[in-house]
Amino acid sequence: MAFQKAVKGTILVGGGALATVLGLSQFAHYRRKQMNLAYVKAADYISEPVNREPPSREAQLLTLQNTSEFDILVIGGGATGSGCALDAVTRGLKTALVERDDFSSGTSSRSTKLIHGGVRYLQKAIMKLDIEQYRMVKEALHERANLLEIAPHLSAPLPIMLPVYKWWQLPYYWVGIKLYDLVAGSNCLKSSYVLSKSRALEHFPMLQKDKLVGAIVYYDGQHNDARMNLAIALTAARYGAATANYMEVVSLLKKTDPQTGKVRVSGARCKDVLTGQEFDVRAKCVINATGPFTDSVRKMDDKDAAAICQPSAGVHIVMPGYYSPESMGLLDPATSDGRVIFFLPWQKMTIAGTTDTPTDVTPHPIPSEEDINFILNEVRNYLSCDVEVRRGDVLAAWSGIRPLVTDPKSADTQSISRNHVVDISESGLITIAGGKWTTYRSMAEDTINAAIKTHNLKAGPSRTVGLFLQGGKDWSPTLYIRLVQDYGLESEVAQHLAATYGDKAFEVAKMASVTGKRWPIVGVRLVSEFPYIEAEVKYGIKEYACTAVDMISRRTRLAFLNVQAAEEALPRIVELMGRELNWDDHKKQEQLETAKKFLYYEMGYKSRSEQLTDRSEISLLPSDIDRYKKRFHKFDADKKGFITIVDVQRVLESINVQMDENTLHEILNEVDLNKNGQVELNEFLQLMSAIQKGRVSGSRLAILMKTAEENLDRRVPIPVDRSCGGL
């Protein structure tokens, strides 16, 4: 209620040159905050963090090991677990958090990247007169406004278009979206509005034109989910929580309460996954916030505990940025099987998803080709026929497991509410399950309230409403300009650092290496297409990154944006991490192989390899086969039936083009299906057939050979950078 009063009268103001640089929605969000129209002040009574910087992981492990007893021990370092730790420590409770993998390594990093109330849940609430669904939407809209305030560098409002193709749907959807605004009340980001057909196409030019009658635009929030999760955990650490990733709970500790005679959970036996060391962490209250793995921890407490979670898999894909406008998302409210698909700009790419299918719980979910193609087919239905939606343009794909709360007998996960439940076992284990990303803070508040009441802990009310997360307090939309002026960073890199680290971006800039160029002065990129720089690897270790996978997926987001780019950056990332963490050659190779396996199975690289194999069919017209054979033989002058690096170098030298041998090796290796160091004619024809079918795009060898053929006599440079680098 206090928060609702604080944000009463919220409006958005935007315009001017700054709005052009930032994007209208983010600029308007900032102006609103600057004008104190929606500034949340519930955290005014909280003292400053006890640590200027989060303690090192080693220091945190010593605290876990040497503290006789904590008030709260949280198991799970996702958004909810980290939120519980932050809520508890800011109430003055002695708090610990352990995570068996990395912070946000599970569901919290694999979301749709939206901070939203849930339009579809409001529809269900109205259609079914479901008060529970309504309350969930109301709560989520309240939390959406708070999250946009406390982490302005990681989040911003995003307009989302709902295209309408039948006249009767226009008033139907308009009423629904207006109700969404009404339920948000003073937390409404900006009022929704209707667009004519021509205006809709102006805002979203790649939209399907046929039968389009208009569109409705509403506002929700968008964020960098893994970085947001990390910011919550780092903020908890700065306030004094002992947080440690790669600490697995192998068993729960129990003791008999001398007053009641009941057996109570009193802590956990923890194992350092990186070293194998085990020790006990004792606590008055243990909280199970393990998402999809909720029931496995509950069974540690009681092997006969009934399952309360039914996992559901949601697959997302990432495509090149040209598939969507830079500042307008798209909602497909009714797909061919009744699900909802979002099509959103994110990190200068386009993210599409999600599916919703029952699944088994696994720490390493894999996106299926069936789900990827389902999303692509739905996208095709909404995009103009002028835009060829190609399988080869899928740059990354992942699957996240939603921990939905349900009756174990239910099989229909699509009808399950994401409302959270707080369960207290007979032994005092507190489980928080269900919910959604947006409501992590209120879930944490409810959980700590239950912990205080159940275990008679001495603490005041929650103080996390309005509490800035790491990097948010002194961030401003113009912060990046100071980075450019003070350090000589590229503008794109500076904007990225400001949007990723907030007011901590200056610390990253100080670590940046000199480029040796006239401009930029500092900031060596990890890969040319993305603004990630080498200094982020060094800084990521300060943020508890322990593995190469941590770095490519959650400290940077390379793995989620382009798996080929992530693979290219891996050797340098491993080298830099090895230097900082004293890895020997064996450890470096181990990290490299583990990261490649992660990209191959969990981030969609496997799907890429399956698009072009030595068993791929060659479906080309005879005229096409003749044309491609002629192109191939320009490189295979000796008619060997295959080409090697030497052949490619010979052609390039004849047109005065120099290329690094390692780069050439990478280019040929993309097409060398049997990995014998040479590209055979059949492999080349399989590649060209796959390109024609849209299964493969951006093949550097295909582009190089085509350009060489066209320019052999003109002696012009040949571009070999990836053209989107699709899977």
Side-chain angles (χ1 to χ4, degrees):
M1 183 64 69
F3 174 81
Q4 291 175 348
K5 290 179 180 178
V7 298
K8 189 174 182 180
T10 299
I11 62 171
L12 284 173
V13 182
L18 185 57
T20 302
V21 174
L22 297 171
L24 183 58
S25 59
Q26 189 172 6
F27 175 77
H29 172 59
Y30 172 70
R31 285 290 302 274
R32 181 190 63 185
K33 179 175 171 230
Q34 291 299 94
M35 296 172 67
N36 291 320
L37 294 171
Y39 188 66
V40 184
K41 297 194 175 184
D44 285 353
Y45 301 102
I46 298 176
S47 61
E48 288 297 310
V50 296
N51 302 306
R52 184 179 178 276
E53 296 295 334
S56 67
R57 183 175 182 273
E58 291 71 22
Q60 297 283 44
L61 292 178
L62 287 174
T63 302
L64 287 171
Q65 198 168 358
N66 297 329
T67 300
S68 58
E69 187 180 48
F70 289 94
D71 294 317
I72 298 282
L73 169 61
V74 181
I75 306 173
T80 304
S82 299
C84 286
L86 180 58
D87 191 283
V89 75
T90 52
R91 297 194 200 202
L93 295 170
K94 192 181 294 184
T95 305
L97 179 148
V98 293
E99 160 61 46
R100 74 173 178 182
D101 204 303
D102 186 26
F103 301 112
S104 195
S105 58
T107 307
S108 295
S109 64
R110 304 175 191 227
S111 73
T112 311
K113 324 303 180 193
L114 285 178
I115 310 169
H116 62 131
V119 173
R120 60 174 171 160
Y121 297 125
L122 181 60
Q123 180 189 30
K124 289 182 180 179
I126 295 171
M127 299 296 289
K128 298 181 180 180
L129 300 178
D130 188 336
I131 191 66
E132 180 189 4
Q133 293 270 9
Y134 172 80
R135 287 172 179 164
M136 183 190 71
V137 174
K138 184 78 174 176
E139 177 188 55
L141 290 170
H142 165 252
E143 293 300 323
R144 178 189 69 179
N146 181 62
L147 193 51
L148 288 167
E149 292 293 341
I150 64 177
H153 58 304
L154 292 170
S155 61
L158 176 71
I160 300 175
M161 180 182 292
L162 197 164
V164 180
Y165 288 91
K166 296 178 181 178
W167 280 108
W168 69 265
Q169 290 180 335
L170 199 59
Y172 174 77
Y173 286 135
W174 181 82
V175 170
I177 294 299
K178 278 301 175 185
L179 283 173
Y180 192 60
D181 292 347
L182 185 63
V183 173
S186 58
N187 296 326
C188 183
L189 301 179
K190 190 176 182 181
S191 182
S192 58
Y193 55 92
V194 176
L195 291 174
S196 65
K197 176 178 179 178
S198 59
R199 291 285 290 166
L201 292 172
E202 183 180 328
H203 285 280
F204 210 115
M206 53 285 293
L207 199 60
Q208 173 65 262
K209 304 173 186 178
D210 296 341
K211 298 182 181 180
L212 180 70
V213 298
I216 300 169
V217 176
Y218 73 97
Y219 283 76
D220 258 325
Q222 188 178 53
H223 69 153
N224 186 336
D225 54 1
R227 292 294 315 184
M228 185 74 80
N229 191 158
L230 184 62
I232 300 167
L234 292 172
T235 305
R238 290 183 62 209
Y239 273 89
T243 60
N245 53 354
Y246 294 99
M247 287 297 295
E248 181 180 7
V249 170
V250 294
S251 63
L252 297 177
L253 305 177
K254 294 188 176 183
K255 67 178 182 181
T256 302
D257 189 324
Q259 295 181 342
T260 64
K262 292 183 178 180
V263 175
R264 309 289 283 178
V265 172
S266 60
R269 180 72 175 176
C270 298
K271 176 183 178 181
D272 186 339
V273 176
L274 302 179
T275 65
Q277 180 188 14
E278 291 190 16
F279 55 84
D280 293 340
V281 178
R282 299 195 175 275
K284 296 173 184 175
C285 172
V286 176
I287 294 173
N288 170 19
T290 53
F293 302 94
T294 291
D295 289 325
S296 62
V297 176
R298 282 166 47 82
K299 290 183 183 299
M300 285 186 188
D301 175 40
D302 177 7
K303 61 182 177 62
D304 297 321
I308 65 171
C309 280
Q310 182 170 324
S312 170
V315 171
H316 295 82
I317 63 174
V318 167
M319 306 176 77
Y322 56 71
Y323 272 95
S324 66
E326 190 173 343
S327 58
M328 179 71 76
L330 184 74
L331 167 64
D332 177 356
T335 62
S336 57
D337 66 352
R339 292 183 282 196
V340 171
I341 289 287
F342 285 99
F343 195 62
L344 310 166
W346 184 69
Q347 302 283 306
K348 298 188 177 181
M349 294 294 181
T350 301
I351 183 172
T354 179
T355 58
D356 188 2
T357 52
T359 185
D360 295 325
V361 175
T362 170
H364 306 293
I366 299 172
S368 71
E369 186 65 23
E370 180 183 358
D371 283 333
I372 292 172
N373 283 319
F374 166 80
I375 296 172
L376 288 173
N377 287 333
E378 294 303 324
V379 168
R380 288 187 184 101
N381 292 336
Y382 273 85
L383 295 189
S384 168
C385 57
D386 295 335
V387 180
E388 183 185 358
V389 180
R390 304 180 297 182
R391 175 60 182 82
D393 281 340
V394 177
L395 309 176
W398 67 86
S399 176
I401 301 178
R402 304 183 190 91
L404 305 180
V405 181
T406 181
D407 179 342
K409 297 177 182 178
S410 173
D412 183 9
T413 64
Q414 295 173 52
S415 297
I416 298 171
S417 167
R418 290 198 206 179
N419 269 1
H420 64 273
V421 296
V422 178
D423 178 74
I424 304 169
S425 73
E426 290 186 7
S427 62
L429 174 69
I430 295 182
T431 294
I432 172 66
K436 53 192 291 186
W437 222 121
T438 306
T439 59
Y440 85 90
R441 194 213 61 81
S442 61
M443 292 167 63
E445 179 180 346
D446 290 349
T447 305
I448 302 305
N449 285 343
I452 292 170
K453 181 178 179 180
T454 303
H455 295 274
N456 299 314
L457 302 176
K458 294 182 179 180
S462 176
R463 296 175 174 176
T464 51
V465 171
L467 178 69
F468 278 110
L469 299 183
Q470 164 124 331
K473 187 174 183 181
D474 295 321
W475 174 88
S476 76
T478 56
L479 183 146
Y480 81 95
I481 296 175
R482 289 176 54 198
L483 292 171
V484 174
Q485 293 175 338
D486 294 352
Y487 295 94
L489 288 161
E490 290 177 79
S491 181
E492 183 187 12
V493 170
Q495 289 182 57
H496 153 68
L497 294 181
T500 302
Y501 304 96
D503 57 31
K504 299 294 180 183
F506 296 100
E507 297 180 22
V508 183
K510 290 175 184 176
M511 297 180 175
S513 304
V514 175
T515 64
K517 302 176 183 177
R518 183 183 62 81
W519 188 263
I521 299 171
V522 300
V524 178
R525 294 194 183 209
L526 288 168
V527 62
S528 61
E529 303 101 304
F530 294 93
Y532 298 107
I533 60 174
E534 292 183 354
E536 292 180 77
V537 178
K538 300 175 187 177
Y539 191 77
I541 293 171
K542 294 180 64 176
E543 296 180 318
Y544 304 130
C546 299
T547 70
V549 172
D550 297 345
M551 202 65 70
I552 62 174
S553 59
R554 295 175 286 273
R555 300 311 179 278
T556 72
R557 305 311 306 274
L558 266 176
F560 283 81
L561 296 171
N562 189 316
V563 291
Q564 286 183 290
E567 186 184 44
E568 281 185 25
L570 264 177
R572 184 56 179 163
I573 288 173
V574 169
E575 186 64 34
L576 290 168
M577 291 189 75
R579 194 180 302 166
E580 297 292 321
L581 297 173
N582 298 315
W583 290 344
D584 58 22
D585 289 342
H586 175 74
K587 181 68 173 179
K588 290 178 185 177
Q589 187 61 33
E590 181 183 77
Q591 285 291 316
L592 196 61
E593 293 304 318
T594 300
K596 286 183 176 181
K597 184 177 179 181
F598 167 78
L599 292 174
Y600 184 77
Y601 288 105
E602 296 184 52
M603 299 310 300
Y605 222 147
K606 180 175 185 291
S607 296
R608 170 197 181 275
S609 64
E610 290 173 349
Q611 299 308 306
L612 183 63
T613 70
D614 54 8
R615 294 181 299 278
S616 297
E617 292 184 5
I618 299 174
S619 300
L620 295 170
L621 295 173
S623 58
D624 288 332
I625 292 177
D626 290 341
R627 178 159 53 93
Y628 293 138
K629 280 183 177 179
K630 289 178 181 177
R631 184 177 301 169
F632 184 85
H633 289 139
K634 286 185 182 294
F635 286 77
D636 179 24
D638 300 328
K639 301 294 190 295
K640 305 183 297 298
F642 61 84
I643 58 175
T644 64
I645 288 178
V646 175
D647 295 316
V648 177
Q649 283 178 326
R650 175 182 53 77
V651 174
L652 295 181
E653 286 173 2
S654 71
I655 55 175
N656 298 320
V657 173
Q658 299 296 321
M659 192 175 298
D660 177 71
E661 187 171 330
N662 290 331
T663 302
L664 279 175
H665 178 75
E666 290 176 4
I667 291 173
L668 263 68
N669 195 51
E670 292 174 1
V671 188
D672 181 12
L673 303 178
N674 55 17
K675 303 305 177 188
N676 61 356
Q678 57 197 32
V679 175
E680 295 157 7
L681 175 60
N682 200 57
E683 290 173 326
F684 179 67
L685 293 176
Q686 286 172 323
L687 168 66
M688 301 313 296
S689 179
I691 289 173
Q692 277 200 6
K693 291 180 179 179
R695 295 201 307 264
V696 173
S697 67
S699 167
R700 290 186 286 178
L701 180 64
I703 293 170
L704 183 149
M705 293 179 71
K706 180 176 185 293
T707 312
E709 181 183 46
E710 294 173 348
N711 298 281
L712 198 57
D713 297 325
R714 285 181 278 175
R715 307 295 194 265
V716 299
I718 300 174
V720 294
D721 289 339
R722 279 191 306 273
S723 174
C724 303
L727 298 182

mmCIF file of all heavy atoms in Angstrom, residues 237-254:
data_model
loop_
_atom_site.group_PDB
_atom_site.id
_atom_site.type_symbol
_atom_site.label_atom_id
_atom_site.label_comp_id
_atom_site.label_asym_id
_atom_site.label_seq_id
_atom_site.Cartn_x
_atom_site.Cartn_y
_atom_site.Cartn_z
ATOM 1 N N ALA A 237 24.998 -9.662 -0.898
ATOM 2 C CA ALA A 237 26.364 -9.835 -0.387
ATOM 3 C C ALA A 237 26.914 -8.532 0.186
ATOM 4 O O ALA A 237 27.579 -8.520 1.221
ATOM 5 C CB ALA A 237 27.272 -10.357 -1.494
ATOM 6 N N ARG A 238 26.633 -7.427 -0.468
ATOM 7 C CA ARG A 238 27.102 -6.126 0.013
ATOM 8 C C ARG A 238 26.442 -5.739 1.334
ATOM 9 O O ARG A 238 27.042 -5.051 2.159
ATOM 10 C CB ARG A 238 26.847 -5.050 -1.037
ATOM 11 C CG ARG A 238 27.721 -5.154 -2.273
ATOM 12 C CD ARG A 238 27.448 -4.016 -3.234
ATOM 13 N NE ARG A 238 27.764 -2.732 -2.631
ATOM 14 C CZ ARG A 238 27.166 -1.577 -2.949
ATOM 15 N NH1 ARG A 238 26.197 -1.580 -3.844
ATOM 16 N NH2 ARG A 238 27.516 -0.464 -2.367
ATOM 17 N N TYR A 239 25.209 -6.196 1.540
ATOM 18 C CA TYR A 239 24.523 -5.901 2.801
ATOM 19 C C TYR A 239 24.904 -6.872 3.912
ATOM 20 O O TYR A 239 24.426 -6.737 5.036
ATOM 21 C CB TYR A 239 23.012 -5.887 2.591
ATOM 22 C CG TYR A 239 22.487 -4.543 2.143
ATOM 23 C CD1 TYR A 239 22.414 -4.223 0.793
ATOM 24 C CD2 TYR A 239 22.093 -3.582 3.063
ATOM 25 C CE1 TYR A 239 21.948 -2.988 0.364
ATOM 26 C CE2 TYR A 239 21.629 -2.346 2.654
ATOM 27 C CZ TYR A 239 21.557 -2.051 1.303
ATOM 28 O OH TYR A 239 21.111 -0.815 0.898
ATOM 29 N N GLY A 240 25.750 -7.859 3.590
ATOM 30 C CA GLY A 240 26.274 -8.728 4.638
ATOM 31 C C GLY A 240 25.883 -10.181 4.555
ATOM 32 O O GLY A 240 26.279 -10.968 5.424
ATOM 33 N N ALA A 241 25.125 -10.595 3.549
ATOM 34 C CA ALA A 241 24.768 -12.005 3.410
ATOM 35 C C ALA A 241 25.977 -12.807 2.931
ATOM 36 O O ALA A 241 26.736 -12.346 2.078
ATOM 37 C CB ALA A 241 23.607 -12.173 2.428
ATOM 38 N N ALA A 242 26.147 -13.986 3.496
ATOM 39 C CA ALA A 242 27.219 -14.881 3.054
ATOM 40 C C ALA A 242 26.675 -15.707 1.889
ATOM 41 O O ALA A 242 25.940 -16.673 2.085
ATOM 42 C CB ALA A 242 27.662 -15.788 4.197
ATOM 43 N N THR A 243 26.996 -15.297 0.684
ATOM 44 C CA THR A 243 26.465 -15.953 -0.521
ATOM 45 C C THR A 243 27.588 -16.695 -1.242
ATOM 46 O O THR A 243 28.690 -16.160 -1.397
ATOM 47 C CB THR A 243 25.851 -14.921 -1.481
ATOM 48 O OG1 THR A 243 26.860 -13.989 -1.876
ATOM 49 C CG2 THR A 243 24.721 -14.150 -0.812
ATOM 50 N N ALA A 244 27.310 -17.898 -1.685
ATOM 51 C CA ALA A 244 28.337 -18.674 -2.389
ATOM 52 C C ALA A 244 27.706 -19.535 -3.470
ATOM 53 O O ALA A 244 26.773 -20.308 -3.192
ATOM 54 C CB ALA A 244 29.113 -19.546 -1.410
ATOM 55 N N ASN A 245 28.190 -19.389 -4.700
ATOM 56 C CA ASN A 245 27.783 -20.290 -5.770
ATOM 57 C C ASN A 245 28.679 -21.525 -5.745
ATOM 58 O O ASN A 245 29.696 -21.573 -5.046
ATOM 59 C CB ASN A 245 27.821 -19.595 -7.134
ATOM 60 C CG ASN A 245 29.155 -18.940 -7.428
ATOM 61 O OD1 ASN A 245 30.054 -18.884 -6.575
ATOM 62 N ND2 ASN A 245 29.308 -18.422 -8.633
ATOM 63 N N TYR A 246 28.267 -22.525 -6.499
ATOM 64 C CA TYR A 246 28.967 -23.816 -6.555
ATOM 65 C C TYR A 246 29.120 -24.443 -5.166
ATOM 66 O O TYR A 246 30.145 -25.037 -4.838
ATOM 67 C CB TYR A 246 30.316 -23.672 -7.273
ATOM 68 C CG TYR A 246 30.122 -23.328 -8.727
ATOM 69 C CD1 TYR A 246 30.231 -22.013 -9.182
ATOM 70 C CD2 TYR A 246 29.754 -24.305 -9.648
ATOM 71 C CE1 TYR A 246 29.989 -21.682 -10.513
ATOM 72 C CE2 TYR A 246 29.515 -23.983 -10.984
ATOM 73 C CZ TYR A 246 29.627 -22.676 -11.404
ATOM 74 O OH TYR A 246 29.385 -22.351 -12.718
ATOM 75 N N MET A 247 28.088 -24.289 -4.359
ATOM 76 C CA MET A 247 27.997 -24.941 -3.050
ATOM 77 C C MET A 247 26.733 -25.792 -3.037
ATOM 78 O O MET A 247 25.624 -25.276 -3.018
ATOM 79 C CB MET A 247 27.949 -23.902 -1.924
ATOM 80 C CG MET A 247 29.265 -23.216 -1.651
ATOM 81 S SD MET A 247 30.547 -24.371 -1.077
ATOM 82 C CE MET A 247 29.864 -24.888 0.485
ATOM 83 N N GLU A 248 26.914 -27.085 -3.093
ATOM 84 C CA GLU A 248 25.789 -28.012 -3.198
ATOM 85 C C GLU A 248 25.374 -28.511 -1.814
ATOM 86 O O GLU A 248 26.216 -28.859 -0.984
ATOM 87 C CB GLU A 248 26.172 -29.207 -4.075
ATOM 88 C CG GLU A 248 25.055 -30.212 -4.247
ATOM 89 C CD GLU A 248 25.461 -31.383 -5.124
ATOM 90 O OE1 GLU A 248 26.650 -31.479 -5.478
ATOM 91 O OE2 GLU A 248 24.571 -32.199 -5.451
ATOM 92 N N VAL A 249 24.072 -28.539 -1.568
ATOM 93 C CA VAL A 249 23.542 -29.130 -0.338
ATOM 94 C C VAL A 249 23.415 -30.635 -0.565
ATOM 95 O O VAL A 249 22.659 -31.075 -1.437
ATOM 96 C CB VAL A 249 22.175 -28.521 0.034
ATOM 97 C CG1 VAL A 249 21.524 -29.305 1.159
ATOM 98 C CG2 VAL A 249 22.331 -27.060 0.423
ATOM 99 N N VAL A 250 24.166 -31.413 0.209
ATOM 100 C CA VAL A 250 24.131 -32.872 0.046
ATOM 101 C C VAL A 250 23.166 -33.532 1.017
ATOM 102 O O VAL A 250 22.697 -34.649 0.784
ATOM 103 C CB VAL A 250 25.549 -33.475 0.190
ATOM 104 C CG1 VAL A 250 26.438 -33.009 -0.941
ATOM 105 C CG2 VAL A 250 26.174 -33.117 1.528
ATOM 106 N N SER A 251 22.871 -32.831 2.127
ATOM 107 C CA SER A 251 21.885 -33.342 3.082
ATOM 108 C C SER A 251 21.471 -32.216 4.016
ATOM 109 O O SER A 251 22.170 -31.197 4.135
ATOM 110 C CB SER A 251 22.458 -34.514 3.895
ATOM 111 O OG SER A 251 23.559 -34.089 4.679
ATOM 112 N N LEU A 252 20.331 -32.398 4.663
ATOM 113 C CA LEU A 252 19.859 -31.431 5.650
ATOM 114 C C LEU A 252 20.250 -31.896 7.044
ATOM 115 O O LEU A 252 20.221 -33.094 7.346
ATOM 116 C CB LEU A 252 18.338 -31.268 5.556
ATOM 117 C CG LEU A 252 17.787 -30.704 4.244
ATOM 118 C CD1 LEU A 252 16.256 -30.677 4.277
ATOM 119 C CD2 LEU A 252 18.323 -29.301 3.989
ATOM 120 N N LEU A 253 20.610 -30.952 7.879
ATOM 121 C CA LEU A 253 20.936 -31.252 9.274
ATOM 122 C C LEU A 253 19.667 -31.139 10.106
ATOM 123 O O LEU A 253 18.819 -30.280 9.857
ATOM 124 C CB LEU A 253 21.985 -30.277 9.803
ATOM 125 C CG LEU A 253 23.298 -30.166 9.011
ATOM 126 C CD1 LEU A 253 24.198 -29.104 9.639
ATOM 127 C CD2 LEU A 253 24.013 -31.511 8.956
ATOM 128 N N LYS A 254 19.536 -31.991 11.104
ATOM 129 C CA LYS A 254 18.366 -31.949 11.977
ATOM 130 C C LYS A 254 18.780 -32.110 13.435
ATOM 131 O O LYS A 254 19.812 -32.694 13.741
ATOM 132 C CB LYS A 254 17.366 -33.044 11.585
ATOM 133 C CG LYS A 254 16.740 -32.854 10.208
ATOM 134 C CD LYS A 254 15.630 -33.848 9.939
ATOM 135 C CE LYS A 254 14.959 -33.577 8.601
ATOM 136 N NZ LYS A 254 13.829 -34.506 8.351
#
